[in-house]
Amino acid sequence: EISGEKRLKTKSLDDFKILEYKGLPKPKQEICEKINESNIGELIAVSGEVVEKKSSTIYLDDGTEEIKIYIKSATGINTSEIKAGAKLAVSGILSKTSSGLRLLPRFSDDVVRKDIESEEELQVFGEISTSNEWELAARDKKLELFKYLLVIAGFLIVALASLLIKIRKK
């Protein structure tokens, strides 16, 4: 037990054997005001507005109180897209540190954006992308080289033509 939080200490991942799988557990929906030390180790879900973000730490306010959410890098959650003012629904394991309680999301599905309630509210200017990834067109280096050679050839032709004109005038 560390800081009132129970843990299992093993040497390797092979120490675990899955006997039965019943799916992911459902988080207990709570309001921040009611979360306390008796909830340590529980899977909890909260919803609210991001009031502050410092690196991997997010402070979420649900209108009753704030809760500290710490996102570990191993979760694969991209924190760069989360800004103050964003509305989120977050689930995670409640833990305790020397600075107080914090919620630890387990993976990317534990953090859901709630800024836009429906797609009808979303106003899109331009083309709609079917994926969340962006793709940049590749540079055609052969075409770029051809353009530079064409410019250099044009410059050489003009220079040689002006040199021939000077020689004929003499």
Side-chain angles (χ1 to χ4, degrees):
E1 195 171 301
I2 295 179
S3 301
E5 192 173 311
K6 295 182 188 311
R7 72 177 187 156
L8 291 174
K9 191 170 182 178
T10 62
K11 292 188 187 251
S12 73
L13 193 57
D14 295 330
D15 292 339
F16 291 95
K17 301 251 186 290
I18 298 173
L19 302 175
E20 183 180 4
Y21 181 73
K22 294 182 179 181
L24 293 173
K26 301 283 185 221
K28 178 179 166 185
Q29 189 68 42
E30 282 288 354
I31 59 172
C32 295
E33 181 180 56
K34 291 188 176 182
I35 297 172
N36 57 44
E37 289 187 14
S38 67
N39 300 108
I40 292 173
E42 291 182 6
L43 181 59
I44 294 177
V46 293
S47 296
E49 183 177 338
V50 176
V51 290
E52 187 178 357
K53 179 188 167 216
K54 295 179 182 175
S55 185
S56 295
T57 303
I58 298 167
Y59 294 91
L60 191 76
D61 189 341
D62 69 351
T64 63
E65 212 171 281
E66 279 183 20
I67 188 164
K68 179 180 180 180
I69 298 166
Y70 182 74
I71 299 176
K72 294 184 176 186
S73 59
T75 61
I77 299 169
N78 183 2
T79 59
S80 65
E81 295 177 6
I82 300 172
K83 308 272 187 250
K87 295 191 182 339
L88 302 177
V90 181
S91 344
I93 307 293
L94 189 69
S95 79
K96 181 182 177 183
T97 64
S98 59
S99 63
L101 299 175
R102 67 181 180 174
L103 197 60
L104 301 169
R106 303 162 296 169
F107 37 78
S108 59
D109 289 345
D110 281 348
V111 179
V112 179
R113 296 276 313 252
K114 295 289 184 180
D115 291 318
I116 299 170
E117 297 295 323
S118 69
E119 286 189 33
E120 293 167 0
E121 294 177 26
L122 179 63
Q123 187 174 11
V124 177
F125 299 100
E127 189 176 332
I128 298 173
S129 174
T130 57
S131 75
N132 290 338
E133 296 181 19
W134 290 48
E135 188 176 314
L136 296 175
R139 289 176 49 188
D140 188 354
K141 293 181 181 179
K142 287 182 182 179
L143 182 62
E144 287 181 21
L145 178 63
F146 178 73
K147 287 178 183 177
Y148 287 122
L149 289 175
L150 193 60
V151 169
I152 291 171
F155 177 74
L156 286 175
I157 290 172
V158 170
L160 287 174
S162 65
L163 186 62
L164 281 173
I165 292 172
K166 282 186 182 180
I167 290 174
R168 287 197 179 212
K169 283 187 180 180
K170 288 183 182 180

